[in-house]
Amino acid sequence: MRNHSSVTMFILLGLTNDPQLEILIFVFLLITYLSSIIGNLTIIVLILMDPHLKTAMYFFLQNFSFLEISFTTACVPAYLYMISSGDKTISIGACFGQIFFIVLFGATDFFLLAVMSYDRYVAICKPLHYVTIMNSRVCRILIINCWVSGLLIISPPLSLGLRLEFCGSVIDHYYCDASPILNNSCSDTWFIEQLIVACAVLTLILTLVGVAVSYICIIRMILRLPSVQQRKKAFSTCSSHLIVVSLSYGSAIFVYVQPSAKNKAAMDKVVSLLATSVAPLLNPFIYTLRNKQVRESFHNTLKRFIFISKRG
């Protein structure tokens, strides 16, 4: 008879066993994590302080930055602690807790990207009715729906996963992910693997269709504009969002939409590293560097702080 109760902890192998390379990874992750926190917090503070940034677009961007902070915080600090302390163990409960928050924040992120696409559609295709359509009440409802959708996506596979019995304890990853955990299960994981793929595909298809429909309408509207200058201006309002969408969907499709947990490649860890550390760092810079209003708000806020500090 198999004694499943003996497995109460998982061992995370991390990204490498090389101590010197681990130090480099620690420094890299620490810098990218702190930079992403500072960058996304800056966006949140700017939108809170600047009355010119009180539109629906920046309300969604503020929530997007909060999700980016939450997503990277759900996995990177734990791995940094693991490297610094040398303790690679994690309890089964903590592991499932980490999965819950990572998937919740990640799925909500995708639904929010779809909502942001719709916001750009209204802004470009219905500019005269933008303020009326995207009022504060509608914006709040859309944000709540994004969170509820993320919760509905994670609940079925997580509830089944909590019932699994485990024979192994080694997770070949640097955070708790569904596929390496399923490799340690004594139970038949075929159904839950298919459910995970189905939930991931459902999330990607639903949100990607929303993004695609919005941008098809946007492109059709832009092509109707009489001057090249008007077309450039219209496209510039959604170019940053398109870049973020490409990064998010590209990494998610590579990591999650695969036929079986048994066939996961080692490259998944590298892509996951980019998705959990580099992408949250790049997103605030993509939006700020390509957005004139955010740049001006940052410069004005910086000037006010410098002026106040000089007076003090």
Side-chain angles (χ1 to χ4, degrees):
M1 293 180 65
R2 293 172 297 185
N3 181 17
H4 306 312
S5 61
S6 61
V7 179
T8 59
M9 306 287 287
F10 287 132
I11 299 171
L12 293 165
L13 295 183
L15 294 170
T16 180
N17 290 323
D18 187 341
Q20 292 183 332
L21 184 57
E22 216 170 36
I23 293 172
L24 292 176
I25 291 172
F26 179 88
V27 173
F28 168 77
L29 280 176
L30 183 62
I31 292 173
T32 55
Y33 175 70
L34 292 176
S35 300
S36 65
I37 295 296
I38 293 169
N40 283 290
L41 274 178
T42 300
I43 288 179
I44 292 172
V45 171
L46 287 177
I47 294 171
L48 283 173
M49 293 180 62
D50 195 331
H52 298 100
L53 304 180
K54 297 299 180 184
T55 63
M57 171 186 173
Y58 296 108
F59 174 74
F60 293 135
L61 179 56
Q62 187 180 46
N63 281 272
F64 183 73
S65 293
F66 173 76
L67 278 171
E68 293 292 89
I69 292 172
S70 303
F71 180 69
T72 190
T73 301
C75 49
V76 173
Y79 185 49
L80 291 175
Y81 172 78
M82 190 181 83
I83 295 174
S84 60
S85 65
D87 182 9
K88 297 186 176 183
T89 60
I90 183 171
S91 69
I92 292 177
C95 201
F96 276 100
Q98 189 178 49
I99 290 177
F100 171 78
F101 287 112
I102 289 173
V103 178
L104 174 64
F105 297 140
T108 305
D109 228 346
F110 282 107
F111 286 106
L112 182 55
L113 286 173
V115 167
M116 293 170 77
S117 299
Y118 174 71
D119 172 71
R120 292 299 81 211
Y121 156 74
V122 176
I124 293 173
C125 300
K126 301 178 183 294
L128 298 178
H129 303 285
Y130 178 71
V131 177
T132 305
I133 296 173
M134 302 303 293
N135 58 66
S136 58
R137 180 176 174 273
V138 170
C139 291
R140 286 194 296 270
I141 291 172
L142 289 172
I143 289 296
I144 291 170
N145 286 337
C146 288
W147 282 95
V148 171
S149 300
L151 191 60
L152 291 175
I153 287 295
I154 181 59
S155 296
L158 185 67
S159 60
L160 292 176
L162 291 171
R163 301 175 187 176
L164 293 175
E165 296 176 329
F166 297 99
C167 299
S169 60
V170 176
I171 296 178
D172 188 14
H173 216 299
Y174 72 96
Y175 65 85
C176 290
D177 196 19
S179 297
I181 286 179
L182 293 178
N183 289 332
N184 288 310
S185 177
C186 307
S187 311
D188 182 8
T189 61
W190 181 87
F191 179 74
I192 192 170
E193 283 182 29
Q194 304 312 310
L195 183 61
I196 289 170
V197 172
C199 289
V201 171
L202 179 65
T203 302
L204 292 176
I205 288 178
L206 284 176
T207 56
L208 193 55
V209 166
V211 171
V213 170
S214 296
Y215 275 102
I216 288 171
C217 296
I218 288 170
I219 291 169
R220 288 176 60 186
M221 176 60 69
I222 290 175
L223 292 176
R224 292 177 190 169
L225 294 174
S227 69
V228 176
Q229 190 65 29
Q230 285 178 311
R231 293 175 188 174
K232 286 182 178 179
K233 185 178 179 181
F235 182 75
S236 67
T237 63
C238 53
S239 58
S240 299
H241 182 255
L242 273 174
I243 295 170
V244 173
V245 164
S246 302
L247 289 172
S248 301
Y249 281 95
S251 59
I253 289 170
F254 187 92
V255 173
Y256 291 105
V257 184
Q258 297 188 38
S260 172
K262 315 296 181 188
N263 300 324
K264 301 292 278 184
M267 185 60 71
D268 284 5
K269 290 195 286 186
V270 178
V271 178
S272 296
L273 180 68
L274 297 176
T276 56
S277 62
V278 179
L281 168 65
L282 291 178
N283 290 340
F285 289 102
I286 291 170
Y287 277 105
T288 53
L289 293 176
R290 300 179 65 86
N291 189 299
K292 185 179 179 181
Q293 273 189 294
V294 176
R295 290 200 307 269
E296 289 178 352
S297 176
F298 177 75
H299 291 147
N300 293 334
T301 304
L302 194 61
K303 287 177 183 177
R304 285 201 298 269
F305 276 122
I306 293 172
F307 177 74
I308 291 170
S309 63
K310 285 182 177 179
R311 288 185 63 184

